Amino acid sequence: MPEEPVIASKAPAVLKLEPGVYWWCSCGRSKDQPFCDGSHGTTGFRPQKVEIAEEKNVALCNCKHSKTQAFCDGSHSRL
Ligand code: FES
Ligand code: FES
């Protein structure tokens, strides 16, 4: 059985991000959602790199079931 991520929230994190590199939490265990805080530990999950070239508004997936990780694709509405 593949490991299931924890559903941190069934709503995306809508944020304005400055240019830079961010690490999105794919496991749902981080206390610093939607970003990785290292809590994935020994699970099979790893954070996903998100590179932002210019300031923009994003909706990052908090349910961890998006097919377009790290971005919300609406999958949270079917959980
Ligand atoms: Fe979730 Fe790191 S804490 S991927
Ligand atoms: Fe995960 Fe929207 S919050 S798909």
Side-chain angles (χ1 to χ4, degrees), residues 11-12 61-64 66 72-76:
C61 174
N62 270 332
C63 76
K64 314 306 176 184
S66 172
C72 172
D73 70 352
S75 296
H76 61 266

Side-chain angles (χ1 to χ4, degrees), residues 7-78:
I7 298 170
S9 167
K10 289 186 181 177
V14 179
L15 303 169
K16 179 181 280 188
L17 293 182
E18 302 293 326
V21 173
Y22 299 85
W23 293 94
W24 174 77
C25 168
S26 65
C27 75
R29 291 165 173 77
S30 173
K31 297 288 185 284
D32 186 30
Q33 292 296 334
F35 304 111
C36 175
D37 70 354
S39 298
H40 55 266
T42 57
T43 70
F45 293 96
R46 292 294 176 267
Q48 181 161 317
K49 191 179 193 180
V50 176
E51 294 192 69
I52 302 294
E54 55 191 45
E55 182 181 282
K56 67 173 176 178
N57 294 314
V58 295
L60 294 178
C61 174
N62 270 332
C63 76
K64 314 306 176 184
H65 285 70
S66 172
K67 301 285 186 287
T68 58
Q69 299 177 353
F71 301 97
C72 172
D73 70 352
S75 296
H76 61 266
S77 63
R78 295 186 288 278

